[in-house]
Amino acid sequence: MNELQELYQQLILDHNANPRHYGRLAECTHSAEGHNPLCGDQIFLELKIEDSCVSQVAFSGEGCAICKASSSLMTERLAGKSVSECKELFTLFHALATGEEDAAQDSAALGKLVVFSGVREFPMRVKCATLCWHTLMAAFENKNEVAVTE
Amino acid sequence: MSAVADITSLEAQARRWRDDFPLLEQKVHGHDLAYLDSAATTQKPESVISVLGKYYREENANIHRGVYALSQKATHAYEQSRKKVADFIGAKSFKEVVFVRGTTEAINLVAQSFGRVFLKEGDEILVSAMEHHSNIVPWQLVTEQTGAVLRVIPMTENGDLDQDAYAKLLSAKTKLVALCHVSNAIGTVNPIKDMIAQAHAFDVPVLIDGAQGVPHTKIDVQDLDCDFYAFSGHKMYGPTGVGVLYAKEEYLERMSPYQGGGDMILSVTFEKTTYNEIPYKFEAGTPNISGVIGLGAAIDYVSQIGMDRIASYEASLMGLAVEKLRDVDGLRFIGEPKQRAGALSFILEGIHPHDLGTILDMEGVAIRTGHHCAQPVMTFFAIPASARASFGLYNNEADIDALVSGLAKAKEVFKR
C-alpha cells in the first residue's frame, strides 16, 4: 500500500478530480496534441506566448489520474514562465519521473511537481506523467505533429 | 440452478487443472496471482513447457529436407501436429491447415493471397464494428491495393452485431466477410454459423477470426462451413509465435502464395518456379517447428480435459463473475451481449482503467486496461479505454473475489 500511496498522493487525486486550466483558450499562439498510443491517453495543449513568456495555458482531453494531474500541475507551474525556463523544467521533470537523477527530487525548481517522484516505481506509468511535458515541447515547436512519449 | 451452486461441483476439477500451470503458483506483490488476462495470452501447462524443452534436447533438426533420422523425427513431430490441428477443428484434411505466426499473420495471408486473385475495384469486404485491429488493418491495406471497399457491420448498444444491417449489407458486390467469432474487447459470441449461411446465399466466402473462439468452445469448421478460420497458439495454452490458418482446399488451391522462399516450391529455375502443393505452398522458410510441436501438445492438453467441459466450466465462471461484478457500486459493463465468452469489459465510475490496472496489480490481480487493440469499439461506447477481465480454464472463484476486493481497494485509494 505504501507504494500506492506514494503514487496516488492527495495532491494528485485532487488535481485529477479538479484539474486546473482545463478547457480551451479563446486564442492561442502555440498548440499540440499528445497521445500515448499504447494506453490511449490523449491531451490537447494550448499556449499563448507573449514576449517569450507563457501568458496563458490550457489543456483538455482524456487520461488517467496521473496523466490528468500531471497536466494540471504542469499548467499551473508554467504560467508566467519563459520558454527557456519551461524547457529546463521539462528536463528536470523527466529526470524526476524516470528516476534518472536522484538530485531532481530535491530540486527546488520543481516545487510541487516532486509529487510525481512515486511514478518511477511504476515503469508502465512513467509515460502517463510525462505525456503533457512532451506535448509542451511539441507545442513550442508548433509543428502540428502529435507528440508521443515513445 | 444458480451460477454459484453450479460452479462448486466444477470447482474441485478446476483446482486440479490449475495445478498444471506452474507460473500460477507465484506471488505478485505479496499476493496470490489472480491472472485474468488470458484473452491477451494464456499461461502454459507443464506438458507444453516440457515438450518445448524435449524438442530442443532430443529432436531439433530442420524439417522436410534431411534424410537423416533426426530430421525425420522433427518432420514427423511437426506433421503430427498438423494432423492434431485438423482433427481438433474438424477439418476435412491436413491440407487445409497452414501454420503461421498467429491470427494476425493468418488474416494478412488471406487478405493478400485471396485479395490478389479475387478482389478488384468496387468489390466490397464486410468486417464488423467489433473487430480487433488485426481484422481491420489487413483489409484496409488490401483495399488500397485493389480499389475494393471496406464496409462495416454495425453493433447495437448491448454489444451484439446488428443482424438486420448485416442482411442489408450483403450484396452481389460483397466478395468476402471477415468477422470475429468472439470479441476480444467485450466478449460477445457472434452467431457465426447463421451469418456464414447468409453470406453463402450470396456465394460470399467468410473468414472467421477465431483467436478468442478456439480457447473457449469446441470448433467444427465443417459444421460452421466457414471458408477460413484463423487462430493463435498462445491464446489456447500453446507457445507464442505459432498460429493456424484453416482454409477450404478450393480456396488454398486458387490463392497465390503469400511469401516466396524455401519449402514452398517444387522446382526453381530463373525462368519459372513451380509452387509446392498445399498447405506447403503457404509455408515459406523454416517454420516455427518447436512452436508447432508445442501447439500440438496444447491441443493434447485441452482435448484430454475436453473442450465441452472447459466451455461449461468457463460459462459458469463467467456467470459468477457477472453476478459478483454487478453488485459493485459504480461499475458499468461495456457491452452486455446475449452470449459472452472469455472476456468481460467494464469501467468503474471516477477511476480511469489505467489507475485501476495499477492498483489491482498491487493486489496481485492482472487484468488488461486500455483499448484492447479495438479502438472502434471504444469509440462506439464513447470511452477512451476499459478494464477487461478474461478467463482461462485455470481461473476460479478466488480470482473473481480478488478482482472484486481489488476494486474496493481502488475506491479506497481514490476516496482519500
Side-chain angles (χ1 to χ4, degrees):
Chain A
M1 193 64 193
N2 287 338
E3 283 156 303
L4 272 183
Q5 271 167 354
E6 186 67 22
L7 179 65
Y8 293 107
Q9 295 188 36
Q10 196 58 52
L11 186 65
I12 291 179
L13 295 177
D14 172 44
H15 276 258
N16 171 51
N18 307 293
R20 323 293 198 266
H21 301 279
Y22 192 84
R24 309 292 296 260
L25 294 181
E27 48 177 321
C28 68
T29 57
H30 292 68
S31 67
E33 181 186 344
H35 189 207
N36 267 338
L38 279 179
C39 56
D41 290 348
Q42 193 164 26
I43 62 162
F44 305 92
L45 189 68
E46 292 179 328
L47 302 164
K48 190 168 181 190
I49 298 179
E50 291 171 306
D51 302 329
S52 296
C53 279
V54 178
S55 65
Q56 286 183 61
V57 55
F59 83 99
S60 54
E62 277 293 343
C64 62
I66 305 298
C67 170
K68 245 159 109 182
S70 182
S71 305
S72 173
L73 279 154
M74 178 188 82
T75 52
E76 221 181 37
R77 189 86 193 144
L78 294 186
K81 289 266 181 307
S82 73
V83 170
S84 61
E85 281 173 319
C86 292
K87 287 182 178 170
E88 278 167 31
L89 276 174
F90 167 83
T91 310
L92 275 173
F93 187 83
H94 199 270
L96 172 86
T98 55
E100 277 163 14
E101 281 174 53
D102 285 336
Q105 206 166 342
D106 306 322
S107 165
L110 282 172
K112 277 198 262 181
L113 298 176
V114 295
V115 73
F116 291 101
S117 62
V119 297
R120 67 177 62 176
E121 301 301 328
F122 298 84
M124 308 296 282
R125 305 303 301 278
V126 169
K127 288 172 181 174
C128 308
T130 58
L131 178 63
C132 57
W133 288 92
H134 286 281
T135 312
L136 174 68
M137 300 312 274
F140 286 149
E141 299 284 319
N142 235 352
K143 276 199 277 193
N144 275 333
E145 286 169 3
V146 177
V148 291
T149 49
E150 303 303 315
Chain B
M1 219 190 308
S2 83
V4 183
D6 195 25
I7 205 165
T8 34
S9 56
L10 287 158
E11 189 78 35
Q13 270 177 4
R15 213 170 302 132
R16 282 199 298 278
W17 300 340
R18 192 183 181 101
D19 290 342
D20 297 331
F21 294 80
L23 182 141
L24 296 174
E25 288 161 21
Q26 69 185 275
K27 301 247 179 209
V28 171
H29 300 302
H31 298 270
D32 287 337
L33 170 62
Y35 184 75
L36 295 173
D37 197 19
S38 294
T41 194
T42 55
Q43 298 305 336
K44 321 303 172 197
E46 182 59 44
S47 61
V48 169
I49 297 167
S50 64
V51 131
L52 295 177
K54 181 173 182 284
Y55 169 74
Y56 282 119
R57 267 187 230 104
E58 298 171 17
E59 295 168 355
N60 178 54
N62 212 329
I63 56 167
H64 298 150
R65 51 205 84 190
V67 294
Y68 50 93
L70 211 49
S71 174
Q72 284 170 27
K73 215 167 163 181
T75 303
H76 178 74
Y78 183 85
E79 290 304 328
Q80 274 304 109
S81 275
R82 197 188 306 274
K83 292 202 177 80
K84 281 179 193 173
V85 171
D87 287 346
F88 183 62
I89 60 171
K92 250 184 221 160
S93 150
F94 73 93
K95 290 182 194 169
E96 298 178 319
V97 174
V98 179
F99 286 121
V100 288
R101 276 191 299 147
T103 310
T104 298
E105 189 175 47
I107 298 172
N108 276 279
L109 189 161
V110 177
Q112 290 302 318
S113 297
F114 176 92
R116 256 179 247 146
V117 176
F118 292 91
L119 292 177
K120 57 177 195 319
E121 199 172 339
D123 287 346
E124 293 182 355
I125 302 162
L126 297 190
V127 297
S128 92
M130 62 173 75
E131 297 309 312
H132 188 283
H133 296 161
S134 63
N135 203 19
I136 300 172
V137 185
W139 304 111
Q140 288 174 327
L141 290 171
V142 86
T143 56
E144 280 168 23
Q145 293 158 2
T146 59
V149 181
L150 198 63
R151 312 268 326 250
V152 182
I153 309 161
M155 184 163 49
T156 64
E157 279 301 319
N158 22 321
D160 283 307
L161 289 181
D162 182 339
Q163 295 298 327
D164 294 338
Y166 173 58
K168 284 187 196 125
L169 278 165
L170 284 166
S171 77
K173 282 190 202 162
T174 317
K175 289 296 176 299
L176 188 92
V177 175
L179 181 66
C180 62
H181 189 169
V182 175
S183 152
N184 77 301
I186 50 180
T188 310
V189 181
N190 287 315
I192 52 170
K193 190 175 173 180
D194 183 53
M195 293 178 78
I196 291 164
Q198 285 186 65
H200 284 176
F202 288 83
D203 288 323
V204 175
V206 180
L207 174 140
I208 300 296
D209 166 359
Q212 307 293 344
V214 168
H216 305 295
T217 178
K218 171 108 194 82
I219 302 300
D220 183 336
V221 289
Q222 287 189 69
D223 178 58
L224 290 170
D225 201 23
C226 54
D227 304 276
F228 305 96
Y229 196 100
F231 64 97
S232 297
H234 74 100
K235 293 190 199 288
M236 54 159 298
Y237 314 102
T240 52
V242 62
V244 169
L245 170 67
Y246 158 82
K248 281 182 183 165
E249 205 172 328
E250 54 177 293
Y251 284 109
L252 286 181
E253 289 291 2
R254 290 158 73 198
M255 280 156 55
S256 60
Y258 177 49
Q259 294 178 330
D263 224 25
M264 55 77 72
I265 47 84
L266 285 179
S267 72
V268 176
T269 67
F270 284 107
E271 288 70 39
K272 184 169 171 55
T273 289
T274 311
Y275 303 132
N276 203 339
E277 291 165 0
I278 64 164
Y280 310 107
K281 180 170 106 176
F282 296 97
E283 292 179 7
T286 298
N288 182 355
I289 305 169
S290 66
V292 164
I293 293 170
L295 174 60
I299 289 175
D300 288 342
Y301 178 75
V302 292
S303 302
Q304 159 238 317
I305 292 175
M307 281 313 297
D308 291 335
R309 273 169 87 199
I310 293 171
S312 95
Y313 173 67
E314 288 184 353
S316 315
L317 201 61
M318 177 63 82
L320 191 68
V322 170
E323 225 171 88
K324 292 196 173 196
L325 288 173
R326 211 184 282 289
D327 289 341
V328 175
D329 237 14
L331 184 141
R332 181 182 132 212
F333 287 114
I334 299 306
E336 294 217 56
K338 290 189 193 105
Q339 200 193 340
R340 186 152 34 189
L344 55 81
S345 224
F346 60 90
I347 53 173
L348 199 57
E349 201 187 339
I351 306 181
H352 192 283
H354 294 137
D355 298 313
L356 207 53
T358 294
I359 296 167
L360 287 172
D361 177 51
M362 296 305 285
E363 299 294 304
V365 180
I367 60 156
R368 172 84 188 267
T369 58
H371 53 56
H372 320 299
C373 296
Q375 284 178 4
V377 175
M378 300 295 115
T379 307
F380 176 81
F381 287 106
I383 48 172
S386 80
R388 179 188 71 185
S390 58
F391 307 103
L393 59 89
Y394 36 64
N395 287 118
N396 55 28
E397 190 171 357
D399 295 330
I400 296 169
D401 290 341
L403 170 62
V404 170
S405 64
L407 296 177
K409 174 71 107 207
K411 287 187 192 173
E412 205 180 289
V413 170
F414 266 71
K415 265 198 195 118
R416 275 186 294 130

